[in-house]
Amino acid sequence: MKVKTMLFDFDGTLADTLPVCFHAFQEVFHKYDSRPLSKEDIIGMFGPSEVGIIEQNLHNRHYVKKAIEDYYDFYDKEHTKLVNKNTEILELIRLLQEKGIQYAIVTGKARRSYEISIKHLFPTDTFHISITGDDVIHPKPHPEGIMQAMKRLSASTEETLYIGDSTADIQAGLSANLKTVGVNWLSNSHGSKFVVKPPHYEFTNIADFIRTFIESGHMR
C-alpha cells in the first residue's frame, strides 16, 4: 500500500524538546510548590497540554495562572540552550515535500509552546497543518487529534501512518485504525518500550525510516 499521508507527534519525535519541557516544569513546581520533580514524575503527568498539566498538578492553586506564564517564559528563554536543531529531521521534512507526501503534526503541546519551538527549530511554513492540545477536547491516547488532521487532509486510513515516541501516541494511532510507527531516534525520546500494544513498525534510526517509507513509498 502506498503511503500518501504521515502524521507526526512533535516532542521526542520531530523535536528533541523534552529537556526544555522538563526544565520549565521543574522550575515552575519548585517555585510555586517547593516541590522537586524528576523526569519520571513529569512524564507521568504527560497527556494533557502543559497548561493542563499545571492546572491538574500544581498544589498551590492560587498561583496556577502565574505558573503557566512562568512555564512559557522558562521554555522560551532556555530553548536555544537546551534544544538543538536536527539536520536529519529537516532532511526528512524536505523529502516529504519532494515526494508529495502529505504530513501534519498531532501533538499534546499547547499551541503557544508549539509555536515557540517552531520559531527556534523550523522554517515558519514547514508545517501547514498542526493539531495541538488546545485544539481537542480529548488528549492522546484518544484519537481525536488524529481524526481532525485526517479530515483536514482528506486522508484515508489505509494510506496514512502515525509516527510517535510514546505509548499514548501508539494507542491513539491504533484507535484511529492507522498503521503506527514507534520511534526512539532522538536523544530524549520517551523510550523504546510501548507497554500497552506494540506499534506496527519501530525505528531507532531516521535514515532507516526514510529508506523504508519515503524512498520506497510503500508500507510493507
Side-chain angles (χ1 to χ4, degrees), residues 45-57:
M45 298 175 182
F46 281 179
S49 70
E50 54 269 22
V51 172
I53 288 173
I54 293 170
E55 288 176 342
Q56 293 174 24
N57 294 279

Side-chain angles (χ1 to χ4, degrees), residues 57-89:
N57 294 279
L58 195 74
H59 293 163
N60 199 332
R61 309 300 302 164
H62 182 71
Y63 290 103
V64 166
K65 288 185 179 179
K66 288 184 178 180
I68 291 169
E69 289 303 310
D70 278 357
Y71 176 91
Y72 289 122
D73 188 48
F74 290 130
Y75 189 92
D76 193 10
K77 287 181 177 178
E78 299 299 319
H79 202 289
T80 300
K81 184 191 300 182
L82 296 174
V83 184
N84 296 319
K85 290 183 178 180
N86 188 303
T87 55
E88 286 186 292
I89 293 294

Side-chain angles (χ1 to χ4, degrees), residues 94-164:
R94 188 193 69 78
L95 287 170
L96 291 173
Q97 295 170 337
E98 181 182 284
K99 297 287 187 179
I101 297 172
Q102 297 189 111
Y103 60 94
I105 297 294
V106 181
T107 178
K109 290 177 88 63
R111 176 70 56 183
R112 189 169 169 186
S113 59
Y114 170 76
E115 290 182 350
I116 290 170
S117 287
I118 290 294
K119 173 187 72 175
H120 285 287
L121 298 175
F122 295 96
T124 54
D125 63 349
T126 297
F127 302 104
H128 300 294
I129 292 178
S130 55
I131 307 298
T132 72
D134 294 339
D135 302 315
V136 299
I137 297 172
H138 306 291
K140 293 181 283 187
H142 195 282
E144 181 185 351
I146 291 174
M147 302 308 293
Q148 279 195 39
M150 292 183 67
K151 183 177 181 179
R152 290 178 62 180
L153 292 167
S154 299
S156 71
T157 55
E158 295 81 8
E159 298 169 320
T160 301
L161 292 175
Y162 185 68
I163 301 103

